[in-house]
Amino acid sequence: MGFNSGLVTFVDALPGMNRIRAVQRALAMRSEPVYLEIGVSRGQAFQRISADVKIAVDPAFKLTDRVRERADAKARITRYFETTSDAFFANEKTLLEQHPVDVALIDGLHTYEQVVRDVENTVRYLKDDGVIFLHDCNPPFELAGRRAESWEEFMAQQKGPLVIGIWNGDVWKAIVQLRSTRPDLIVGVFKCDQGVGFVRKGTPESTLSYSVDEVRALTYADLKADRKRLLNLKPPRYLNEFLAASAASPPR
């Protein structure tokens, strides 16, 4: 299964750009791409993504047989790893060396420290022209951005009836930390789908200078007051420029 349809230049014409569409656009530009998804859960994205090799990582899959069938039908090879992302990267080095990643989607544990680890581990096995997308990087209000170790813990924090159906956690801080500590990466967020983060190798147009301790101390009020600068927030149409620049990078 190969994908090499050329750069798409009409993202703005498509309604509702989101993480799944961004991933598939990036994959469609490539021949026999390898796709890695961290945080698969029920397979909402994984079953819809087409790639030559698809790798799924989640400590507790919630996939029906039908979802697995749909996911498998859109790849030549599909591999499932029911484990934490930390354990996956520690135990599957050979697999990742044999199948360097073209495109990754990170949508696992919604704590920024874990997201930073997931990005930095993925980058080690990312092709030089590869790209990473992240979900939940731009919480729209404070409750959605509340820190918790799981959805269950987030729900337990509610004092009354559930008033929202979304939880982004403090993933947004991962963007701030990466922009402050990784001058070898281009990092930002598309303003759509609760914030779709993007990462690729290269020299960023702008950076931040927060220490790790300062990132830890940031609050939602800090994000609300300076959202565009902290996140390097971009409109959805920037996907074209981002992918074009990635395609211009020499492949490994």
Side-chain angles (χ1 to χ4, degrees):
M1 185 184 301
F3 300 88
N4 192 9
S5 60
L7 179 64
V8 176
T9 58
F10 51 91
V11 169
D12 280 340
L14 295 176
M17 204 279 275
N18 59 28
R19 64 197 182 283
I20 298 173
R21 289 189 173 120
V23 165
Q24 197 61 75
R25 288 309 176 87
L27 287 165
M29 296 169 58
R30 297 162 183 270
S31 176
E32 300 182 346
V34 174
Y35 171 63
L36 170 65
E37 184 171 321
I38 295 173
V40 173
S41 188
R42 291 179 172 82
Q44 179 183 6
F46 198 72
Q47 68 176 316
R48 296 170 61 184
I49 298 298
S50 297
D52 186 52
V53 177
K54 292 167 56 176
I55 302 169
V57 180
D58 196 291
F61 286 119
K62 299 176 182 177
L63 304 172
T64 65
D65 291 342
R66 180 57 179 152
V67 167
R68 282 188 184 249
E69 289 174 3
R70 289 172 178 165
D72 294 347
K74 295 192 173 185
R76 180 177 60 87
I77 298 172
T78 310
R79 298 288 303 275
Y80 296 89
F81 295 89
E82 192 165 45
T83 185
T84 65
S85 55
D86 289 341
F88 168 75
F89 284 111
N91 298 330
E92 301 300 333
K93 295 179 181 179
T94 300
L95 170 72
L96 291 165
E97 288 169 353
Q98 292 174 345
H99 298 288
V101 176
D102 288 271
V103 180
L105 173 62
I106 296 174
D107 192 12
L109 186 61
H110 288 6
T111 64
Y112 80 91
E113 299 97 332
Q114 183 64 57
V115 174
V116 169
R117 286 202 303 275
D118 287 344
V119 169
E120 292 188 330
N121 281 325
T122 301
V123 165
R124 292 188 180 97
Y125 302 100
L126 188 70
K127 291 182 179 178
D128 286 346
D129 62 343
V131 298
I132 301 171
F133 296 103
L134 319 172
H135 194 216
D136 297 294
C137 296
N138 189 20
F141 42 83
E142 187 170 6
L143 181 57
R146 182 172 293 176
R147 182 180 175 88
E149 296 292 329
S150 66
W151 171 260
E152 290 74 21
E153 181 180 316
F154 171 70
M155 291 291 292
Q157 293 175 358
Q158 309 308 309
K159 302 295 185 183
L162 181 65
V163 295
I164 60 168
I166 61 171
W167 170 54
N168 310 120
D170 59 0
V171 173
W172 64 272
K173 289 188 181 184
I175 300 297
V176 178
Q177 181 161 326
L178 290 166
R179 294 189 64 217
S180 298
T181 61
R182 294 297 301 261
D184 59 327
L185 299 178
I186 294 168
V187 181
V189 176
F190 295 115
K191 192 177 181 180
C192 63
D193 192 15
Q194 301 170 51
V196 177
F198 57 84
V199 179
R200 71 173 178 85
K201 298 177 183 179
T203 303
E205 61 184 1
S206 65
T207 60
L208 300 173
S209 58
Y210 291 87
S211 69
V212 172
D213 287 342
E214 287 171 335
V215 172
R216 186 181 300 114
L218 289 171
T219 67
Y220 184 83
D222 296 315
L223 174 66
K224 184 176 180 180
D226 205 7
R227 193 181 298 264
K228 185 174 181 180
R229 183 184 70 90
L230 290 175
L231 299 183
N232 189 24
L233 207 56
K234 301 289 188 181
R237 64 178 178 273
Y238 181 73
L239 178 64
N240 294 324
E241 182 179 336
F242 175 71
L243 294 180
S246 174
S249 300
R252 185 167 66 185

